[in-house]
Amino acid sequence: MKKLTIVLTALALAGAATNTAGAADGDTVKAIKTRGELLCGVSTGGSTGMSTLDNQGNWKGMEVEFCRGLAAAVLGDASKVKFVPLEFRVAFSTLQSGAADILARTATWSYSRDTSLNLDWAGIYMYDGQGFMVAKKLGAKSGKDLNGASICVSAGTTSELNLADYFRANNLKFTAITGSTREQNQQNLEVGRCDAYSNERGGLAASRTAMKNPDDWVILPDVFSKEPLGPTVRQDDARFRDIVAWTLNIIVAAEEFGITKANVAELAKTSTNPEVQRMLGKSGEFGKMLGLEQDWAVKVIGMTGNYGELYDRNLGNGSPIKLERGLNSLWSNGGLLYSPPFR
């Protein structure tokens, strides 16, 4: 699997490098339209629920669908996406180089990344937090039971830094066993190279579904970091950042207004709600304000559905992961999701 991952990454980078003209010159939309496709940086294919490559070569997952929705907004066609599989160690540099237009790869929005990488986060599509997964037979009830343990974690990530902070703050010792990918950490845990695996809890839940005996593993209750995950873009193109941000806002707002994948086309014609009319292009010039077609939002929602639909089929009860929405619920249901108004 590791060898395959490296090959996939190398091929993707080589392919993307031939299609990057104009991508990093500050007009990303122009580059996408000239190229005829969006370059979306994703995981190497093992990030279950977020970006997974199946045996038939099809990309699936929440971040994959977000990029397809973005392609629908910019190009009017959700199929016009080329997925660029990236190991985390090269993800940000690939985006900076222009070999990807957007990074949708469970990238945590943090102060140092935001201020030092010349990159921007265009919102948050998943509020997560870091925890531990261990074998049930280990008998651990909390991370504080892991003094002296070996912990698998991805190298160069905020997870690695958070892990060190956690053990230092609790005056505990540990040994880090670093891997390059989620699947590598998962495999290391399964074969006993480490006592625990530390990652975002959503990632741990996804990894558990892919293990040989999922019921043998437990995610401890500790949540010891904030992990706001969202789409990442270069800092030199405010227009493209706006398009990415409002693509995310539109699917959140769609859930607030009860607009679904199934009814969006009908509501675009019949809704009498003034805000829905503006969102779906029946009144005003909201598409023109972003340099998009008037019905761009109809195409995005028609591709992805609303946020609730997107979450449910990839991470929630409609998926093998069955991860509770928690903070990823709408603000009106006690969560943190909230779209600015379409006015």
Side-chain angles (χ1 to χ4, degrees):
M1 178 61 78
K2 181 180 179 183
K3 186 176 292 182
L4 173 62
T5 296
I6 293 172
V7 171
L8 280 172
T9 303
L11 288 174
L13 284 170
T18 64
N19 290 297
T20 58
D25 65 0
D27 194 341
T28 309
V29 171
K30 179 180 178 182
I32 293 170
K33 289 186 174 179
T34 299
R35 192 189 306 123
E37 61 184 3
L38 172 76
L39 300 179
C40 176
V42 291
S43 76
T44 51
S47 185
T48 305
M50 301 301 275
S51 55
T52 309
L53 187 62
D54 68 17
N55 293 333
Q56 285 73 49
N58 301 310
W59 284 97
K60 297 179 178 179
M62 185 169 176
E63 291 178 315
V64 165
E65 291 196 52
F66 180 78
C67 279
R68 290 191 174 125
L70 182 61
V74 176
L75 296 169
D77 188 341
S79 70
K80 301 295 186 184
V81 183
K82 182 172 183 175
F83 293 102
V84 185
L86 301 168
E87 290 190 358
F88 195 83
R89 60 187 174 84
V90 299
F92 293 127
S93 59
T94 301
L95 178 60
Q96 290 164 335
S97 75
D101 299 310
I102 180 173
L103 190 64
R105 199 202 178 287
T106 56
T108 298
W109 186 356
S110 73
Y111 179 93
S112 59
R113 287 175 177 173
D114 199 5
T115 56
S116 64
L117 296 178
N118 291 323
L119 299 176
D120 272 339
W121 271 254
I124 298 168
Y125 45 50
M126 185 171 180
Y127 291 89
D128 209 339
Q130 190 168 341
F132 298 102
M133 180 162 64
V134 299
K136 282 184 180 176
K137 63 183 180 183
L138 192 64
K141 303 300 181 186
S142 157
K144 294 178 182 176
D145 294 331
L146 298 177
N147 188 25
S150 55
I151 313 289
C152 284
V153 65
S154 292
T157 63
T158 55
S159 297
E160 185 179 20
L161 301 174
N162 294 335
L163 186 64
D165 284 351
Y166 175 87
F167 277 83
R168 187 181 303 115
N170 289 287
N171 197 27
L172 303 173
K173 295 181 179 179
F174 79 106
T175 300
I177 308 295
T178 57
S180 299
T181 63
R182 181 192 291 183
E183 54 266 43
Q184 186 179 3
N185 288 315
Q186 169 194 319
Q187 290 164 5
N188 284 342
L189 179 64
E190 277 194 294
V191 300
R193 286 200 65 206
C194 52
D195 301 306
Y197 171 28
S198 187
N199 194 4
E200 292 94 1
R201 287 168 60 84
L204 294 177
S207 291
R208 186 168 58 178
T209 65
M211 298 175 92
K212 293 179 182 176
N213 298 298
D215 292 340
D216 290 347
W217 306 91
V218 61
I219 298 171
L220 300 180
D222 311 69
V223 181
F224 58 90
S225 74
K226 292 185 289 185
E227 302 294 334
L229 310 177
T232 316
V233 296
R234 287 181 294 278
Q235 205 168 32
D236 61 352
D237 192 342
R239 177 193 174 199
F240 185 62
R241 185 192 181 284
D242 280 351
I243 291 173
V244 175
W246 283 99
T247 297
L248 176 57
N249 290 334
I250 196 69
I251 61 174
V252 173
E255 184 175 13
E256 293 181 88
F257 286 103
I259 306 169
T260 68
K261 189 173 183 177
N263 68 19
V264 62
E266 181 63 23
L267 288 177
K269 300 174 185 174
T270 62
S271 176
T272 57
N273 182 312
E275 189 163 6
V276 172
Q277 288 183 343
R278 292 191 290 269
M279 288 167 53
L280 301 184
K282 191 175 180 181
S283 66
E285 294 186 328
F286 283 71
K288 185 177 179 180
M289 291 178 190
L290 279 175
L292 301 176
E293 298 295 325
Q294 187 71 352
D295 64 346
W296 71 277
V298 177
K299 291 173 179 172
V300 172
I301 300 167
M303 166 60 218
T304 65
N306 63 43
Y307 183 90
E309 294 176 286
L310 182 67
Y311 186 95
D312 184 67
R313 65 175 171 267
N314 290 299
L315 296 168
N317 289 332
S319 76
I321 301 171
K322 301 190 184 310
L323 187 68
E324 292 184 2
R325 282 186 65 173
L327 295 177
N328 296 295
S329 300
L330 294 177
W331 66 279
S332 53
N333 294 327
L336 296 177
L337 289 186
Y338 185 101
S339 170
F342 285 76
R343 176 170 293 283

